[in-house]
């Protein structure tokens, strides 16, 4: 089995896609899109806190802690998160460059996660990438290596990238909403997201990606400020401060629900088509 066949099997696209004979040239983004017309593209505009500027980071710890009583997205903590983001919008991260941002993340103690993890996982890849993939938070493997998506979910993400002619680090940046591993890999709480999101927003402002792919509910909720389900957010081009954003399933979810991998492939092709239209 060659590498490509392995990747297609991983994505549940083999032998269906094999029968169509996928030429070598399919490895390029253009060819991947040309394979089939893209899904209809609708544009919906959603903004975090209605503010186009990058949110800042020097947040008094007490304010963050107030939010820790709230659970993950979807419960009553959501309103607090919005108010909190408005409060910190335009803060001191707006002028921060890459080295300083790395340093700030490394030294961040805004929430309790830092005390329970081995190291922060900043993000990795091409700092001028057209493509930005955003996950939730580091897991055990990432906590040890300091790199995002290096475990089983990361291997699937690599295959997903390859399916549209991309490779990690080559015109691709990978980051998470949360930079520290939550204990027992639980979902991050709303206060943790509020504390960490400004770092991701600054990364986005520095990268200036041409398209963002939100992997899973935490990334989609945080970047689009919504509690809508992944199923309802898929298939549409959303707007993150002027950058198109496509929502798809988190690779960890796809590992548990392999039948959904074909939908993720559609989402990736929608992202490719979006980038080509720009
Ligand atoms: N899951 C994520 O969301 N991010 C990682 O870096 C690894 C697993």
């Amino acid at each position: 089995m060659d590498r490509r066949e392995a990747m297609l099997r991983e994505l549940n696209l083999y032998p269906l896609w094999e029968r169509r004979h996928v030429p070598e040239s399919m490895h390029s983004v253009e060819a991947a899109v040309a394979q089939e017309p893209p899904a209809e593209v609708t544009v919906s505009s959603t903004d975090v806190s209605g503010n186009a500027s990058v949110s800042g980071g020097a947040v008094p710890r007490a304010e963050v802690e107030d939010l820790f009583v709230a659970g993950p997205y979807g419960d009553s903590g959501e309103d607090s998160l919005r108010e909190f983001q408005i409060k910190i919008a335009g803060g001191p991260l707006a002028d921060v460059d890459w080295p300083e941002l790395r340093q700030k993340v490394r030294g961040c103690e805004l929430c309790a996660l830092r005390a329970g993890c081995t190291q922060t996982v900043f993000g990795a890849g091409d700092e001028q990438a057209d493509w930005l993939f955003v996950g939730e938070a580091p897991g055990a493997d990432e906590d040890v290596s300091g790199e995002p998506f290096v475990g089983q979910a990361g291997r699937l993400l690599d295959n997903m990238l390859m399916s549209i002619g991309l490779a990690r680090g080559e015109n691709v940046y990978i980051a998470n909403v949360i930079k520290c591993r939550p204990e027992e890999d639980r979902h991050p709480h709303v206060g943790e997201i509020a504390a960490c999101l400004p770092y991701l927003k600054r990364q986005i402002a520095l990268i200036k990606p041409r398209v963002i792919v939100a992997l899973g509910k935490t990334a989609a909720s945080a970047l689009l400020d919504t509690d809508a389900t992944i199923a309802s957010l898929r298939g549409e081009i959303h707007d993150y401060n002027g950058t198109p954003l496509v929502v798809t399933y988190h690779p960890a979810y796809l590992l548990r629900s392999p039948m959904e991998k074909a939908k993720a492939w559609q989402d990736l092709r929608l992202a490719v088509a979006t980038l080509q239209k720009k």
Side-chain angles (χ1 to χ4, degrees):
M1 196 175 5
D2 66 15
R3 211 159 160 241
R4 176 168 178 77
E5 182 182 327
M7 177 270 290
L8 288 171
R9 280 188 191 279
E10 183 74 39
L11 290 170
N12 280 0
L13 295 171
Y14 187 90
L16 177 72
W17 287 84
E18 177 65 14
R19 271 202 303 271
R20 292 179 176 197
H21 177 66
V22 183
E24 197 57 23
S25 57
M26 257 293 287
H27 288 232
S28 77
V29 164
E30 289 74 17
V33 164
Q35 181 79 4
E36 214 172 84
E40 198 177 301
V41 176
T42 52
V43 178
S44 82
S45 180
T46 320
D47 188 4
V48 178
S49 73
N51 192 325
S53 69
V54 177
S55 298
V59 185
R61 174 138 191 185
E63 287 182 22
V64 180
E65 279 172 350
D66 283 349
L67 293 166
F68 277 73
V69 288
Y73 268 91
D75 63 20
S76 57
E78 213 186 328
D79 284 346
S80 319
L81 173 62
R82 203 163 297 128
E83 282 166 25
F84 185 82
Q85 285 176 326
I86 290 166
K87 216 183 248 183
I88 62 179
L93 282 191
D95 297 325
V96 161
D97 61 9
W98 281 112
E100 202 185 340
L101 188 61
R102 276 178 196 282
Q103 210 175 339
K104 279 184 184 286
V105 167
R106 214 176 295 127
C108 181
E109 291 183 343
L110 280 174
C111 78
L113 289 182
R114 182 65 189 93
C117 73
T118 308
Q119 60 185 315
T120 54
V121 178
F122 181 76
D126 177 351
E127 290 171 358
Q128 273 126 38
D130 286 338
W131 290 82
L132 172 64
F133 289 78
V134 180
E136 180 177 292
D141 295 312
E142 294 77 22
D143 185 56
V144 170
S145 72
E147 294 283 313
F149 280 100
V150 292
Q152 227 193 329
R155 284 191 287 281
L156 177 55
L157 179 59
D158 285 337
N159 282 331
M160 291 165 73
L161 295 177
M162 203 199 301
S163 76
I164 50 168
L166 296 174
R168 186 184 285 252
E170 294 171 18
N171 203 19
V172 172
Y173 197 93
I174 301 173
N176 285 308
V177 174
I178 297 285
K179 311 301 189 203
C180 296
R181 181 194 181 195
E183 71 280 1
E184 288 160 25
D185 297 326
R186 63 165 171 78
H187 293 297
H189 292 168
V190 69
E192 292 157 354
I193 293 169
C196 219
L197 190 55
Y199 298 127
L200 174 63
K201 288 177 151 190
R202 185 63 192 147
Q203 285 175 305
I204 297 173
L206 287 166
I207 297 166
K208 301 184 188 67
R210 290 176 62 212
V211 65
I212 300 170
V213 179
L215 301 164
K217 169 105 171 159
T218 298
S221 298
L223 291 174
L224 297 174
D225 193 20
T226 176
D227 191 36
T229 62
I230 294 291
S232 67
L233 294 169
R234 287 187 53 245
E236 241 182 82
I237 309 298
H238 301 271
D239 176 76
Y240 172 82
N241 291 344
T243 303
L245 184 151
V246 170
V247 173
T248 193
Y249 295 108
H250 192 286
Y253 170 79
L254 295 174
L255 289 171
R256 296 192 301 274
S257 309
M259 296 311 290
E260 305 285 43
K261 287 179 184 175
K263 291 186 190 160
W265 161 249
Q266 285 173 359
D267 300 334
L268 293 177
R269 285 171 54 233
L270 175 59
V272 170
T274 305
L275 200 143
Q276 287 190 325
K277 276 188 186 168
K278 282 187 88 189

